[in-house]
Amino acid sequence: MALETWPGAALARTPEAGALWRLGPVRLGYIDYLNTLPVYFGIEQGIIDLPVAVRRGVPSELNRLFLDGSLDITPISSIEFGRHADRCVLLPDLSISADGRVASILLFHRVPLPRVRRVALTTASATSVVLTRIILERHLGLVPEYVRMAPDLDAMLAGADAALMIGDDALLADQARREGRYPGVLALDLGEAWKEMTGLPMVYALWVIRAEFARRSPEGVWLVGRLLQESQAYSWTHRDALLAEARRRRHLPEPVIEDYFRLIRHEFGPRYREALLTFFRHAHALGELAEVPVLRVWGEEGR
Ligand SMILES: C=C(O[C@@H]1C=C(C(=O)O)C=C[C@H]1O)C(=O)O
């Protein structure tokens, strides 16, 4: 997991960024999957100045770094936010979600679902691990056993009937499957299964602010929040460049990436908040969450 800095070349031009830089760079997390690229692309292109020190990692790594105090603002798995809501505030209008099919949260299975007894769960995920339990146990009425494994589909399916993969690992494995590398293996899209079960979108990740950072540096929070929105706007108005960058990062056919960028949503409006609370209630019923937390959103407290 590399530490990198993105000090915009023209930092000095932006007085508020300059002020923030003097406080020390914001320690920002970056999920090393395509789903986060549209949020950061503008900043990465140096179009928008943001004095930050960036740590890239898979969700479980960012979850851990945030909880041990090493990151100020970062996307984390929504279930981890639920478990530690007292330690953070949510950045408004930002999430990693999908309204139904998501394409990158996949349960690969080599026997029909009713015969699945043993499930390998990627060590990269937290939210989708719980979502898998909700779909298999509460939706399909199964009682499988689970093992955690690194995201390697061959190894996972050698030791289990089904395998949960997320993010680019899932996109790449599914591409290989569609090209015939895994004969007899099917893929259940858990976003689609969740929508079938609840009629709702699914919120996989949220951007959290460390409570102490929010207290110490409210101007930093405003700036980062605003620039992440501007960066997103840049991404969608420079769609071709965004797609080219995505293709440079991952060897996936263009239609697959285009489809994925249509499915992934970064909004967090009322319907998505309701969906998140529904997910939390199911997680609570399974003993995965001690209590359903209140959603504390930056700028909305005390309303
Ligand atoms: C849609 C996705 O959302 C994510 C799933 C996460 C999880 O399962 O814990 C965490 C962050 C996101 O990367 C994905 O990775 O495919």
Side-chain angles (χ1 to χ4, degrees):
M1 199 183 327
L3 177 66
E4 54 190 280
T5 54
W6 294 336
L11 238 192
R13 283 204 311 256
T14 326
E16 48 191 344
L20 185 57
W21 189 245
R22 281 191 293 279
L23 293 171
V26 179
R27 298 170 305 165
L28 187 70
Y30 188 144
I31 296 177
D32 212 356
Y33 295 152
L34 294 179
N35 59 29
T36 309
L37 180 63
V39 179
Y40 290 117
F41 184 59
I43 300 168
E44 281 180 87
Q45 293 297 294
I47 306 302
I48 297 160
D49 291 333
L50 184 60
V52 287
V54 175
R55 296 286 289 262
R56 289 174 197 255
V58 298
S60 54
E61 289 169 326
L62 297 184
N63 296 346
R64 183 176 49 75
L65 286 169
F66 181 74
L67 292 172
D68 77 15
S70 304
L71 291 170
D72 299 315
I73 300 183
T74 184
I76 65 171
S77 300
S78 55
I79 191 71
E80 286 299 303
F81 159 72
R83 288 170 178 151
H84 303 282
D86 54 327
R87 293 165 59 173
C88 48
V89 185
L90 293 170
L91 215 53
D93 301 322
L94 204 51
S95 75
I96 298 173
S97 302
D99 193 2
R101 189 168 76 86
V102 55
S104 64
I105 305 288
L106 298 176
L107 186 70
F108 295 94
H109 53 104
R110 57 180 181 76
V111 300
L113 286 171
R115 298 216 328 257
V116 167
R117 301 270 179 277
R118 193 176 158 85
V119 182
L121 302 165
T122 173
T123 48
S125 165
T127 297
S128 306
V129 164
V130 177
L131 181 61
T132 301
R133 285 198 63 200
I134 293 171
I135 299 298
L136 293 184
E137 299 174 35
R138 294 174 70 80
H139 188 45
L140 301 176
L142 307 176
V143 202
E145 61 167 314
Y146 302 97
V147 284
R148 294 299 287 251
M149 289 181 78
D152 172 340
L153 191 55
D154 293 282
M156 290 165 119
L157 289 180
D161 307 312
L164 167 72
M165 296 187 88
I166 71 163
D168 297 357
D169 297 323
L171 292 172
L172 291 163
D174 200 42
Q175 184 57 29
R177 185 185 71 89
R178 277 185 271 117
E179 287 167 4
R181 256 216 58 201
Y182 297 98
V185 173
L186 298 176
L188 176 71
D189 186 307
L190 293 184
E192 203 170 358
W194 167 258
K195 175 113 191 211
E196 186 186 294
M197 177 180 173
T198 62
L200 293 167
M202 175 68 203
V203 179
Y204 298 95
L206 292 159
W207 267 255
V208 289
I209 310 153
R210 207 158 50 82
E212 192 211 309
F213 180 82
R215 266 194 306 277
R216 183 170 55 87
S217 186
E219 67 277 57
V221 177
W222 283 118
L223 180 65
V224 172
R226 182 163 64 71
L227 295 188
L228 291 180
Q229 296 297 337
E230 284 177 18
S231 174
Q232 268 191 85
Y234 175 89
S235 297
W236 299 122
T237 51
H238 295 77
R239 206 185 174 95
D240 290 348
L242 175 74
L243 286 169
E245 177 61 20
R247 289 201 69 188
R248 202 184 58 72
R249 288 193 194 184
R250 302 288 180 216
H251 290 288
L252 287 164
E254 191 158 329
V256 171
I257 294 175
E258 285 199 16
D259 176 51
Y260 190 50
F261 281 171
R262 270 192 297 270
L263 296 174
I264 286 290
R265 305 283 161 80
H266 295 103
E267 64 201 276
F268 190 48
R271 196 160 155 264
Y272 287 76
R273 294 182 187 198
E274 189 47 49
L276 178 67
L277 291 171
T278 303
F279 171 66
F280 283 165
R281 284 192 280 272
H282 283 285
H284 175 66
L286 283 173
E288 292 279 2
L289 194 57
E291 59 184 331
V292 175
V294 172
L295 306 183
R296 287 168 60 218
V297 180
W298 176 257
E300 296 177 11
E301 289 169 298
R303 266 192 205 171

